[in-house]
Structure formats: structure tokens, C-alpha cells
Amino acid sequence: MRVLPRAHPTFDAVLVVSFGGPSGPADIRPFLANVLRGRRVAPERVEQVAHHYELFGGVSPITAITRRQAEGLEQRLARAGHPLPVFVGMRNWHPLLADTLEQMQAAGVRQAVGFIAAAQHSYSSCQQYRENVAAARTELRARTGQDIDVTFVDSWYAHHGFVAANAAHVAAARMTLPADVAGRARLIFTAHSIPAAMAGRSRYREQLAESASLVAEAAGMEDHVLVYQSRSGRPEDPWLGPDVCDYLREARRAGLEAAVLCPIGFVCDHIEVLYDLDHEAAAVSREVGLAMTRAEAVNDDPLFLDMMADVVLRTLRRHERGRPLPLAPAEPPVRPAP
């Protein structure tokens, strides 16, 4: 493989890290086995989730969208004078992180900027991915004796580009509502539910609330609320709520006439968005007589790609003279001999 020329004094490449998804019906169950590894899940629940993927031909759009995001980022970095290659590594399906890191190592990459495709921070949305990268690096060292250091970008859940892309999609979706109710529509933000205990150890809810507030303001929709979707786990365990479908029923009973759903907790229109919102939530809305439309996730919107480039470029500028060495633990003071 051709060795990449160095385009930055510190970094050789960018690594975009995402969830992954099946590319055909034969991939569904092996993919779900990767997602659920280490967890005891009833076989009937696995089959239920597999059916979600089967409804869409067994193909998750996440891989194609993430590749387009990576391509757009690479183009923008080149235009900014930093022609770094952008690689994609997935947690649960091909291209798997360990394979991507081996490809990067063979191309001469030693230092990479990491971009995790999740805006708000919780263990499952960010920290687990960092651990996955660390595990892939361990595997790389075992395979090749080489390593790739990864420096992650700063948080971007409140970045103006992320906000602007979501607000533009909200405005476009609102225009598809019937004219007589569009002006009274409520903006309903959705995010992946997580266990309440996990939420208590992070700023996930707070960051989601801030993202939602900024997008609502930019979209000019003061009436907004944050709800959750995609809950899993045992029914007796507390998870973040309310669930989007429960909320739609209750809001309609309280007189709500129209709603715009915005998947603020997702950056791709993948199967969880397509099934939970376009399939289940849409069915509930029809059932209760609620006019509902769904805003696209940011996907490969140029505003979002500009944001990706901005946070990567900020990381490049911050480390133009090299990455700081980790601080050594302080030595105890030396006492004079008696």
C-alpha cells in the first residue's frame, strides 16, 4: 500500500468512528450478535429487532451516509490546506475498527484525529467508542507491533454548524405539514434512551437539552420538548423517558394538532430512526389523528460537513507543534538527610 505523505506536522489522518450496520439480509444476525455481545438478551427480542432491519431490506443506511460524511470532510480539509485522508471505522460491522486501524498503519499513519459520530456524551454514545478504539489499538499492536495514537476532537453538541443543519431540516419538514396546523406544530426532539443510572454519570440529558434549545431557537419554534426512543433492556429497569410514542398519544389527548420530530440524538437516518420514527411513531400519529412530519438527521448536509471540518481543523491547529506528552506523576519532595 502506498505510504501517505505527511500533510500536517503532527497528524497523518482522521478516523471517523460510527456504530455500523448490516449491508444485506445475511448480515443482520451476525451484526446483532456484535451489538449484543456480553449482554443476555432473549432470543425473541433479537428476532424482533432483526425484523426491524428486514423491513428495510436488511440494509442500514449508516455505512453509506458515514462514508459520505468522511468524503465531505476529506474534501474540506484539502481545501483548507490539510489534505489528510479520512478513514471510517465501525464498532459493530464492516469496516470494523480493528481492520481500519490495520489499513491505516499499513499506509503509514501513526497519529490520527478521532471524530466520534455522536454529538451528546454518555458512556454508550462516546466513552464506549473510545474504549473500542483503545481495544482496536491493542489488537493492532498484537498483530503488527505498531500503534496509532488517536486524539479526539472536542465536544460539538452546541456547535453552530450542527445547530444550523438541524434547524434547516426542521424548517423544511415543517413546510410539509398542512398549512392550517403548521403554525401550531410542536417541535419534538428525540434521542436514544439510556438507563437512568448511566445518565446520572454523564451530562447526556443536559447536552441534549442544550442542543434542542439552540435548534428550536434557530428554527423559530419556541414550543418544543425532548423525548426518547429505542429503549431496550428489562422493563423493570428505569430508562430515560418519556417514550416518543407514549408522548405523542398523551399530547394528542391534550389537544396537540401537529408535530415536527427531530432526531437530535442521531447524525444519520439509520434503522433506529427509520423504524422508531418513520414506522412506529408515524403509525401512532395516524392512529390518534395527529399531523406529524419528521426532520432528516444531519446526514451529509454541507452545514454539518463544514462543522466536522471545523472541529478537526481546531484540533490540528491546537497540536501544530506536536501532541503534549502525558504528565508524569509528581515526585515526592526530597527531604534533606538528618
Side-chain angles (χ1 to χ4, degrees):
M1 180 177 288
R2 180 175 63 87
V3 175
L4 301 168
R6 177 158 283 235
H8 185 270
T10 303
F11 296 106
D12 311 297
V14 178
L15 172 64
V16 176
V17 185
S18 189
F19 188 78
S23 55
D27 295 342
I28 295 174
R29 284 158 184 83
F31 160 74
L32 291 177
N34 284 344
V35 173
L36 300 171
R37 61 189 178 272
R39 296 166 56 189
R40 287 185 291 181
V41 179
E44 55 269 24
R45 175 56 182 164
V46 175
E47 286 305 306
Q48 185 182 41
V49 176
H51 177 61
H52 298 176
Y53 286 86
E54 288 168 345
L55 286 175
F56 299 93
V59 179
S60 173
I62 192 169
T63 303
I65 294 172
T66 305
R67 289 193 184 280
R68 294 201 300 270
Q69 291 171 340
E71 290 165 4
L73 171 58
E74 187 171 285
Q75 293 165 5
R76 284 159 174 77
L77 293 178
R79 289 201 295 267
H82 294 289
L84 295 173
V86 179
F87 295 83
V88 170
M90 299 293 194
R91 176 173 185 261
N92 297 299
W93 202 243
H94 306 288
L96 291 165
L97 271 168
D99 297 333
T100 297
L101 260 62
E102 188 166 357
Q103 178 190 0
M104 294 168 69
Q105 185 275 327
V109 176
R110 297 295 179 266
Q111 302 269 356
V113 177
F115 182 98
I116 296 172
Q120 299 86 14
H121 296 193
S122 71
Y123 173 76
S124 60
S125 65
C126 284
Q127 183 58 35
Q128 191 170 16
Y129 287 88
R130 289 175 180 251
E131 293 176 3
N132 298 148
V133 171
R137 291 176 60 188
T138 298
E139 187 172 340
L140 178 68
R141 290 192 295 269
R143 286 185 186 179
T144 69
Q146 302 292 326
D147 193 11
I148 297 175
D149 198 15
V150 180
T151 301
F152 293 97
V153 302
D154 289 337
S155 297
W156 43 270
Y157 65 91
H159 191 287
H160 60 85
F162 179 63
V163 171
N166 275 295
H169 293 187
V170 165
R174 189 183 191 184
M175 290 179 64
T176 68
L177 288 170
D180 59 332
V181 296
R184 298 188 295 279
R186 179 171 300 158
L187 179 52
I188 301 174
F189 292 98
T190 73
H192 202 300
S193 183
I194 62 174
M198 183 188 295
R201 296 190 296 269
S202 71
R203 297 195 65 250
Y204 183 65
R205 284 174 294 191
E206 292 81 4
Q207 291 178 354
L208 281 167
E210 185 173 350
S211 297
S213 178
L214 290 169
V215 171
E217 181 180 4
M221 295 186 69
E222 182 178 347
D223 184 8
H224 70 277
V225 66
L226 173 64
V227 303
Y228 296 90
Q229 63 175 87
S230 311
R231 185 201 191 283
S232 60
R234 300 184 308 170
E236 61 268 28
D237 293 337
W239 282 53
L240 295 183
D243 172 77
V244 58
C245 290
D246 293 341
Y247 180 83
L248 292 174
R249 290 188 179 95
E250 293 171 6
R252 179 62 180 139
R253 283 197 293 269
L256 184 66
E257 297 178 271
V260 177
L261 269 56
C262 173
I264 193 69
F266 304 86
V267 298
C268 289
D269 284 334
H270 54 67
I271 296 299
E272 285 183 312
V273 174
L274 298 177
Y275 183 83
D276 293 350
L277 301 185
D278 296 354
H279 182 75
E280 280 199 326
V284 168
S285 297
R286 289 191 297 270
E287 172 192 325
V288 300
L290 176 68
M292 187 275 280
T293 186
R294 201 261 297 173
E296 291 184 6
V298 290
N299 293 324
D300 58 343
D301 188 304
L303 292 169
F304 181 66
L305 302 183
D306 290 345
M307 186 227 75
M308 293 179 72
D310 182 56
V311 296
V312 170
L313 288 167
R314 290 183 190 185
T315 305
L316 298 181
R317 288 192 291 267
R318 191 164 63 248
H319 298 292
E320 282 181 345
R321 297 185 180 180
R323 290 195 66 223
L325 294 173
L327 294 175
E331 294 289 338
V334 176
R335 297 185 183 277

